[in-house]
């Protein structure tokens, strides 16, 4: 519990987590409110309320990476490792704090977006959460944010530099996963298994293009179910994080 308290204090003693949380909430809830207010006369579906969750996800991942790279930048990680020589315990405590915070931000953004959509949409008859899939669309955002934060924390611990870690996270999510689809013959097959594409399937399932603006949405992904998709994304995040623990344990601070 002491380590958790220490990591919580360290995280909130800087401004970046506060700004990242506000930006994640502002982007997801704000853009969703604009979409809901301008939705056409048809009923707005639950999926429409979480279509912007990726904006918040990327911001939360930047926050998670900063949680560890900032310590390397200012040298506070050395003091932490001197106080706790095994190194693994403080890293796990940091992960718990960051993952829980990210999950809460994800839930706040998804339920906030859904609530504003209910208020602003001209026809909210299909926004009611009446099925397990409806709840997964909304509450599942918190799980994706949590897994994404763990992945970003692992990348940050491996790279140790803020610019490098943030670049890797954003370039991979925003560029690589899209560009790989242009590879002849095999691009589409590879793209279907990219982690953020798979994570989107957990939120959206196999969506009807008619309920997603401009027909956008994740492609179908083999035989993976929505929950199988989340397990795949969370598994990748966990593997990267475990590798980072091994590397942190072996190299100099």
């Amino acid at each position: 519990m002491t380590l958790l308290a220490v990591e919580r204090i360290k995280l909130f003693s800087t401004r970046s987590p506060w700004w990242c949380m506000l930006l994640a909430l502002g982007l997801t809830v704000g853009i969703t409110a604009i979409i809901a207010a301008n939705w056409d006369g048809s009923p707005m579906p639950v999926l429409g309320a979480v279509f912007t969750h990726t904006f918040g996800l990327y911001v939360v991942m930047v926050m998670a990476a900063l949680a560890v790279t900032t310590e390397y930048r200012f040298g506070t990680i050395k003091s932490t490792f001197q106080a706790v020589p095994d190194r693994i315990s403080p890293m796990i405590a940091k992960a718990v704090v960051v993952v829980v915070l990210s999950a809460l931000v994800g839930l706040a953004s998804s339920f906030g977006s859904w609530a504003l959509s209910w208020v602003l949409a001209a026809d909210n008859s299909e926004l009611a959460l009446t099925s397990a899939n409806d709840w997964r669309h909304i509450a599942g955002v918190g799980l994706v944010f949590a897994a994404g934060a763990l992945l970003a924390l692992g990348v940050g611990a491996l790279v140790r530099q803020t610019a490098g870690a943030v670049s890797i996270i954003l370039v991979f999510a925003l560029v690589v996963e899209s560009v790989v689809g242009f590879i002849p013959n095999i691009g589409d097959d590879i793209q279907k298994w990219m982690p953020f594409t798979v994570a989107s399937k957990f939120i959206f399932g196999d969506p009807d293009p008619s309920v997603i603006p401009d027909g956008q949405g994740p492609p179908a992904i083999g035989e993976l179910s929505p929950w199988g998709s989340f397990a795949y994304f969370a598994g990748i995040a966990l593997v990267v994080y475990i590798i980072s623990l091994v590397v942190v344990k072996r190299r100099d601070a």
Side-chain angles (χ1 to χ4, degrees), residues 76-101:
T76 56
I77 197 74
K78 294 181 180 180
S79 301
T80 300
F81 290 160
Q82 287 174 352
V84 188
D86 71 5
R87 298 191 178 188
I88 301 300
S89 298
M91 292 300 293
I92 292 178
K94 186 185 296 292
V96 171
V97 172
V98 172
V99 166
V100 170
L101 176 62

Side-chain angles (χ1 to χ4, degrees), residues 14-78:
T14 59
R15 295 179 180 179
S16 57
W18 297 100
W19 283 111
C20 286
M21 287 188 291
L22 288 173
L23 183 59
L25 289 170
L27 284 174
T28 53
V29 177
I31 297 176
T32 300
I34 295 172
I35 292 174
N38 292 277
W39 196 269
D40 58 23
S42 62
M44 185 175 183
V46 174
L47 287 179
V50 294
F51 183 67
T52 61
H53 80 279
T54 52
F55 297 117
L57 173 61
Y58 301 146
V59 176
V60 162
M61 291 183 69
V62 170
M63 179 188 72
L66 288 172
V68 63
T69 59
T70 301
E71 286 213 61
Y72 279 104
R73 178 185 176 187
F74 293 105
T76 56
I77 197 74
K78 294 181 180 180

Side-chain angles (χ1 to χ4, degrees), residues 14 17 52 99 105 146 153 158 178 187-188 205 210 212 222 227 235 240 247 249:
T14 59
T52 61
V99 166
V105 173
L153 197 64
L158 288 170
S178 298
D188 290 341
S210 65
I212 300 297
W227 283 101
V240 172
V247 173
K249 180 73 174 178

Side-chain angles (χ1 to χ4, degrees), residues 13 36 57 63 67 116 128 153 158 160 166 173 191 197-198 209 231 233 247:
S13 63
L57 173 61
M63 179 188 72
L116 271 180
L153 197 64
L158 288 170
R160 298 196 292 185
V166 171
Q191 187 181 47
T197 302
V198 177
F233 181 62
V247 173

